[in-house]
Amino acid sequence: MSESPAPTRSLSRKITLPLVLVGTCLAALGVAGIYTIVSSHLEARLRLRAQTIAQSIAYAAENIDREGELQRIVSATGAEREVSLLLVSGGYPNAVVASSNPTWRKRPLELDFATVKLHRYEEITQATWSAIGLDPRKPPADWLVVSLPLQLHNLEVNTINLYPAVVLVALDTTATRADVWRLTAWAAVGFSLTLVALSTLYYLNLRRLVLRPLSELAQRHLGAPVPSPRPAATVVDPADEIGQLDAALTRTFTAINAARIERDHIEFAFNQHVIVAATDPRGRIIYANDRFCNVSGYSRQELLGQDHRIVNSGHHPREFFADLYKTIQHAGVWHGEICNRTKSGKLYWVDTTIVPELDSAGKPVRYVALRSDITERKAAEAELMETNSQLNLAIDRANQLTLTAEMATIAKADFLANMSHEIRTPMNGVIGMLSLLIDSPLSEEQRQFATVANASGETLLTLINDILDFSKIEAGKLTIESIDLDLAHLISSLMPIFEFRAKEKQIALIQEIQPTVPTLLVGDPVRLRQVITNLMTNALKFTTQGEVKLSITAPRLTPTEVVLRFAVSDTGLGIPEDKIGRLFNKFSQVDTSTTRKYGGTGLGLAICKQLAELMGGEVGVSSQAGQGSEFWFTARLGRQPPTARQAARVTPSWSSAAPVTASVSVSAPASTTPVRILLADDNETNQLVTLSLLKKIGYACATVGDGAAAIRALAAHPYELVLMDVQMPEMDGHEATTRIRAGEAGEAKRQVPIIAMTAHTLSGDREACLAAGMSDYLSKPIEPLALKAMVERWLPASPTTAGTTSNIQH
């Protein structure tokens, strides 16, 4: 807290001088009052004395009948100290009868005998005084004269006749006046001493209660010197008004000091960053802080009084400053970025806010400019712009490369699609014919050769599928459908595929499904089937004895969705702990040596991971070397709206701890089986395979080679189901389906079921088929059980197909 200047006039002196003046005035008034009172009192006593003497003489004169006696009484009374004159005048003619001065006897004296009066010497007529030899203009003393009328005997003749007379008494007041002054002086001294004592006590008390506490407050809060001697302890009473003032001042100065400290800190921080300047209305600098001086290179003396254009760099056009001046001259706040120049000529940028300070009339009286140095930021922006320019060039080059890569990806996808179709088409013939060959009468060696060839074909097909799915994942074209599915039907149609391999290796195949698992769901049945098949195939591959078990549970179940957990456990080789972390990586295998027993591309589990994540789930594994493994994945599926079928639950169609059979019983065609199916396919091998497979499951089929022929055949014959290849000459399957749905084959055939049979399995192929109006989708190579399930789903049952059975061997 800064010290205040010492007071030029002491409050004690300010109080003492008026107190002395008041005391003096009071003393003067007191003395005057005392004098008046004493004087009045003594004068009253003199008057009473004169009246008493006058009355005594009057009484004596009225009752004494001898003149000598009266003279003796008057002489005796007139001899008293204060009596200057005493006479009795009366008779006829009026003359002095008796007096204190014998020479005055018999002298004529005219007096008013009417009333008793108190007179001054000058109030008596001059003739009266002259009659007795006194100068009326010069009284011998300060007399108090009393006249008293009476009735006087005729003393000369000694008669009882009474004549008017008067007693005249004159008292000398000189001694009395001296007494008055003496008494007044003593009274004045006593009064003055008392007043001084009281004033001194009052001053000391005032000093103790007010002046010293105020002095202490001045020293404590304002830094003013305290008059000595200063008390050792505080003299401020916290209970009185000064104490309350002290508390209030303490709080106030504490707050002020805290605010000042905070202001100093803020001002220090402000000056470290902000450039502050103020100009008058003419633009001359009237204030500049240290920051302004440091940044501009000018000293404060060089800046003050100068025009603000001293730091103008010339970088901005005239219109820039015209807008600035227009804004602030109309009491507006201007904000912008300005390039200035230092004293040395170096340019620097400031982010500026200019605020006008207005007078009572609303006119600017000064302008305050707050600036922040943004030179580094502007340099960074310039560098960033240059970098962005370079980056844009790099992005353009990258976009060109990306476009080239996308074109290459499209070309690769087209190539994969074509290769998939071209490979799957002959593979359909190879695997289909091998399946038919195995089902025909063969020797044991021939059957073994055909079985090995069929297994190799299926392995090659699995490899093709993995490579194709991996390509889809890399291209971002692998998508998940959301369609109605029946989990019970999916599992029951999937499990028989693994029966043959389980029987061949003499291991148990077990299925356990939690009773609370719903069956009518919404999801992608193809991808669910693919992941389950991959995990089951791996489990069967690496298990030589014991069992493989598929378990399905529902960890989370709501009215609208369900999270299913599929777990495939086995009693096979198990996986070392240090190898588990890389199982789901692409092209990664547990055994990578050249002597490994089990082959594979290392893509299966990586694809399973991607598919599970696309279905809103995850994958995992728990295993110990030599003790088997459990691979699991979860999928988030929707639930179909409530229907009568929704009460159905997935129930195991079989569950056994013993090896299972590997045959599937199907209906065989009777000799009079009608032709109910039309096959449209341009490949004769595929036609032969499909016809043979349909014949084995009890259905007759007619064939055509393109889409146009399919329309004509469907219009001419009552086919109930169409198996339509997609890629055909003249008219492909998409266009043929669209035309059939448009009614070109007849109104009755608009809703005939059309199943797409194609080797195209890239992302979007299934959607394209369904968008064209096809009812379902079956990929090549055709699996016998998949074909049987598809036909039974869409073709109504017929009595002619019942009654006999045939076996299709895997």
Side-chain angles (χ1 to χ4, degrees), residues 269-282:
F270 197 73
N271 288 331
Q272 297 305 306
H273 176 73
V274 180
I275 302 169
V276 183
T279 64
D280 61 15
R282 298 174 59 185

Side-chain angles (χ1 to χ4, degrees), residues 436-443 446-447:
L436 294 172
L437 180 62
I438 293 172
D439 200 37
S440 64
L442 297 173
S443 66
Q446 291 173 331
R447 186 177 299 280

Side-chain angles (χ1 to χ4, degrees), residues 241-295:
E241 291 81 353
I242 297 179
Q244 295 175 1
L245 176 61
D246 179 32
L249 288 176
T250 299
R251 293 192 299 269
T252 301
F253 280 105
T254 300
I256 291 174
N257 191 48
R260 182 186 62 80
I261 294 173
E262 183 178 1
R263 182 206 63 195
D264 292 343
H265 289 166
I266 294 174
E267 183 177 357
F268 176 77
F270 197 73
N271 288 331
Q272 297 305 306
H273 176 73
V274 180
I275 302 169
V276 183
T279 64
D280 61 15
R282 298 174 59 185
R284 291 176 301 190
I285 299 174
I286 59 177
Y287 173 79
N289 72 338
D290 294 339
R291 181 68 175 167
F292 188 11
C293 299
N294 294 336
V295 173

Side-chain angles (χ1 to χ4, degrees), residues 128-207:
T128 302
W129 299 123
S130 298
I132 61 177
L134 297 178
D135 187 354
R137 293 172 299 177
K138 296 180 180 180
D142 189 9
W143 287 359
L144 178 64
V145 181
V146 175
S147 62
L148 180 66
L150 57 89
Q151 297 293 323
L152 183 65
H153 292 278
N154 191 345
L155 299 179
E156 293 181 355
V157 293
N158 195 16
T159 63
I160 61 174
N161 295 329
L162 298 178
Y163 297 94
V166 64
V167 176
L168 184 64
V169 180
L171 297 182
D172 186 1
T173 61
T174 302
T176 303
R177 297 297 177 189
D179 292 340
V180 168
W181 284 111
R182 185 174 59 255
L183 292 175
T184 300
W186 283 109
V189 170
F191 180 78
S192 298
L193 291 176
T194 303
L195 185 61
V196 169
L198 292 176
S199 300
T200 302
L201 291 176
Y202 175 78
Y203 172 77
L204 293 176
N205 197 42
L206 180 66
R207 181 182 178 186

Side-chain angles (χ1 to χ4, degrees), residues 202-255:
Y202 175 78
Y203 172 77
L204 293 176
N205 197 42
L206 180 66
R207 181 182 178 186
R208 181 179 65 85
L209 297 178
V210 177
L211 297 181
R212 284 191 176 178
L214 289 178
S215 298
E216 183 173 343
L217 291 186
Q219 173 65 20
R220 184 183 305 168
H221 299 295
L222 303 177
V226 177
S228 59
R230 182 179 178 183
T234 179
V235 296
V236 177
D237 185 359
D240 62 12
E241 291 81 353
I242 297 179
Q244 295 175 1
L245 176 61
D246 179 32
L249 288 176
T250 299
R251 293 192 299 269
T252 301
F253 280 105
T254 300

Side-chain angles (χ1 to χ4, degrees), residues 296-318:
S296 67
Y298 291 97
S299 66
R300 186 172 284 103
Q301 290 72 19
E302 291 175 320
L303 290 173
L304 295 179
Q306 295 294 325
D307 190 276
H308 66 91
R309 294 182 181 88
I310 190 174
V311 294
N312 191 351
S313 64
H315 176 81
H316 302 284
R318 184 184 302 272

